[in-house]
Amino acid sequence: MTDSNMADAEDNVSIPGFSNLLQMDPLLKPYEKDFLRRSKQLQKQLQLFEEAEGGFDQFTQGYSHFGIQRQPDNSLIFKEWAPAAEALFLTGDFNGWNNFSHPFTKRDFGKWQLHLPPQEDNSPAVAHGSKLKVVVHTKEGERLYRISPWAKYVTQHEKSVIYDWVHWDPPQPYKHKHPRPKKPRSLRIYESHVGIASPEGKIASYSNFTANVLPRIKDLGYNCIQLMAIMEHAYYACFGYQVTSFFAASSRYGTPEELKELIDVAHSLGIVVLLDVVHSHACKNSEDGLNLFDGSDSCYFHAGTRGVNKLWDSRLFNYSSWEVLRFLLSNLRWWMDEYRFDGFRFDGVTSMLYHHHGIGIGFSGDYSEYFGLHVDEDSVLYLMLANHMLHSLNEDCITIAEDVSGMPALCRPLSEGGCGFDYRLAMAIPDKWIQIIKEYKDEDWNMGNIVHTLTNRRYGEKCIAYAESHDQALVGDKTLAFWLMDKEMYTNMSAFIPMTPVIDRGIQLHKMIRLITHGLGGEGYLNFIGNEFGHPEWLDFPRQGNNESYHYARRQFNLVDTDHLRYSQLYAFDRDMNRTEDKYGWLAAPPAFVSARHERDKVIVFERATTIFIFNFHPTSSYQDYRIAVEVPGKYGIKLDSDEVQYGGHGRLDHNTEFFTEPVPHDGRPHSTRVYLPCRTAIVLGKVDID
């Protein structure tokens, strides 16, 4: 295609669904040219892939061409991209760590290749489990020892700081037995970290998670797992967000085959699995990371200050680079194809979207903040390409954006000019709950402010709501339960003794906060491992500052397994909350209609799906015959009650009570009914079929 033909093709690009986007948000009309430019860039890039690489499908399988590739005759081909290197050599166990005996041959566009024939017995020259290094000679005369960016497995010796590249090609690779589950209509996510998923003071394993945690997740009613800290990271305490080897599953938990089994068993339970993927930045490590791979400060990253995130002290990818696009898109496909992940939670999307990376910026919601020169259009294009690829390869793929800015159309289809994500995280919600608990007395809680925070999201763009995630539990902060009950959790959680006022308040509010977030806050719900049962304290990984202690880097499932402790009551409520949602499907329903946000009474009432949610946050006042609005007339019954004794409540509601609507208009609805509302209680009412 000539340049003039390319230009004509660009001019002919349109956004078929843009009118639909404008119908939902007419205020985007002044930015139509921005959306059109992005769509043009997407089509242009896809066309370039077609012309130069034989198509997008071929381009995004870089893992089949780079790194180590065993051929049918057991010869090995090694391929790397190191544009600034003067020479490349391969060294390792296979050649007695000779730095010069196996040189790569330079190819076009900064690529290097080496062919190793099989040994005399026809086995590969590099055996499974043996160690390797790429030796990079720079133009300045330096000799650097590097791990291949495409390494599939890296390990750390006990006494070593640096990771070793280990060739992973097992004679009997794991074979998946179970099909992927279909995308859930209501997404209930269990955010997990494999290493802390045990009460023991050590790094837990993939196998432990498979055997001991998956059954809990299934019982709790979660249909999706979001796995953190899987991509290899040299520093355990970084929570997986300083990635060093992008194609390697972390070896500190076990082998790649054991991770594949974990995902396969999850699939057998009907649970989809998402990877917390970090493509917003990379660790600065050079000996066992991507940084300075070919001796230059660019290669995979922007050169100079543009290539550094000052807040995270990490490197920033150059999304305009052809080979960086190959690397990152192939990385997503590797995790989806090889390990059978069902989707991705993209970390640090705000940092990607803007040249300022969100540092020191308070987003007001003014649309000028989302368009203009401060937007990194290369990054926006990458995210559009990623969503195009993932949803083309797997229509049930789920993508979630961690974006605090509120970028319009981030979660709208590419056909409308959007970025193509399925969900964004509702990040303001957990911050609001922590603020309320820390700064306000119970009688001063503002019902309108709570409702506003839970419902303040872009229409037509789905959100994942959560009361707390891993962020809220990190050292320097603490879990919601610990904010509510603090040190009394050490001594007063036994069901054999009466609840103290602190424990009573904490248990009731813990349930109510989670239920109102679940019901009102989004189109999906997320819980961080262990917080469903009110995990105490906080998260802190072993480091010098805590004498390398694992005490706070574990999940104390023993607490919930001890029947006489009240943790099991919180667990039971969380389980039944999810099961009730599974029956009525409020997360998949349109946004709720909020009929009451009564400040004096501290009452919130809303309808969603076919259910009515009623919350009385008042610390002391209960209400007899409290009138609530109802849209659909009929007979209603109690479907979930936070005050049940089995949930640590006081059992003040009679579950045999039937609530009949009256044709009495109330709070904007044509019908209403009367209910008893105990203090600090949440109730979900559902229709009772009339024979």
Side-chain angles (χ1 to χ4, degrees), residues 152-378:
K152 309 301 192 298
Y153 189 58
V154 295
T155 62
Q156 186 182 37
H157 190 272
E158 261 184 48
K159 297 179 181 178
S160 174
V161 176
I162 305 299
Y163 271 72
D164 292 311
W165 174 21
V166 176
H167 178 43
W168 191 260
D169 187 16
Q172 294 180 313
Y174 185 84
K175 288 183 170 56
H176 290 88
K177 304 175 183 69
H178 306 284
R180 296 179 190 269
K182 285 290 182 184
K183 181 195 295 185
R185 68 187 184 108
S186 295
L187 200 59
R188 301 183 298 273
I189 303 172
Y190 196 81
E191 185 185 32
S192 304
H193 186 293
V194 170
I196 67 170
S198 163
E200 298 179 63
K202 65 177 186 180
I203 297 175
S205 66
Y206 295 125
S207 298
N208 166 73
F209 197 95
T210 303
N212 299 317
V213 184
L214 286 182
R216 294 180 188 273
I217 297 171
K218 177 65 175 177
D219 179 61
L220 281 162
Y222 290 95
N223 54 22
C224 176
I225 298 167
Q226 181 179 298
L227 284 180
M228 309 173 60
I230 294 298
M231 301 165 77
E232 190 61 271
H233 46 293
Y235 184 43
Y236 186 45
C238 77
F239 229 136
Y241 292 120
Q242 293 277 349
V243 175
T244 43
S245 289
F246 283 74
F247 286 82
S250 182
S251 61
R252 54 171 58 88
Y253 319 127
T255 69
E257 311 314 298
E258 288 164 343
L259 173 58
K260 291 173 187 176
E261 182 181 27
L262 186 163
I263 294 167
D264 196 26
V265 174
H267 286 169
S268 77
L269 298 173
I271 299 170
V272 297
V273 187
L274 309 183
L275 176 70
D276 195 344
V277 69
V278 187
H279 281 183
S280 49
H281 65 127
C283 179
K284 279 179 116 175
N285 286 18
S286 55
E287 288 193 57
D288 54 7
L290 274 184
N291 192 25
L292 306 174
F293 174 68
D294 64 356
S296 71
D297 78 331
S298 51
C299 198
Y300 288 93
F301 309 107
H302 287 293
T305 56
R306 190 182 174 189
V308 178
N309 185 304
K310 295 177 182 176
L311 188 65
W312 297 337
D313 191 31
S314 55
R315 297 305 313 272
L316 297 173
F317 287 104
N318 178 3
Y319 302 104
S320 66
S321 164
W322 188 272
E323 292 303 328
V324 171
L325 287 178
R326 187 199 308 276
F327 181 79
L328 294 176
L329 292 169
S330 297
N331 187 234
L332 294 172
R333 188 162 180 180
W334 165 257
W335 292 109
M336 189 163 69
D337 287 358
E338 182 72 13
Y339 287 90
R340 297 181 63 79
F341 277 97
D342 303 289
F344 301 89
R345 179 260 199 195
F346 282 73
D347 179 68
V349 168
T350 306
S351 174
M352 299 173 72
L353 291 174
Y354 309 97
H355 292 298
H356 54 62
H357 309 298
I359 299 173
I361 302 294
F363 291 94
S364 67
D366 188 292
Y367 279 19
S368 64
E369 296 170 343
Y370 306 122
F371 304 95
L373 295 177
H374 50 280
V375 177
D376 188 338
E377 295 291 344
D378 293 330

Side-chain angles (χ1 to χ4, degrees), residues 546-565:
N546 64 12
N547 295 318
E548 304 296 335
S549 171
Y550 286 87
H551 181 76
Y552 297 108
R554 59 197 179 109
R555 296 283 90 178
Q556 299 179 58
F557 291 116
N558 52 299
L559 297 175
V560 75
D561 293 340
T562 306
D563 291 340
H564 72 269
L565 295 180

Side-chain angles (χ1 to χ4, degrees), residues 414-455:
L414 296 169
S415 60
E416 294 180 5
C419 282
F421 283 99
D422 297 297
Y423 299 87
R424 60 156 42 96
L425 292 176
M427 300 177 72
I429 295 174
D431 294 340
K432 175 57 65 175
W433 286 124
I434 294 296
Q435 181 200 22
I436 290 171
I437 291 168
K438 287 169 67 173
E439 299 179 11
Y440 295 94
K441 297 177 182 176
D442 292 5
E443 55 269 27
D444 295 332
W445 285 24
N446 186 304
M447 300 296 103
N449 187 245
I450 290 171
V451 168
H452 173 75
T453 302
L454 289 167
T455 57

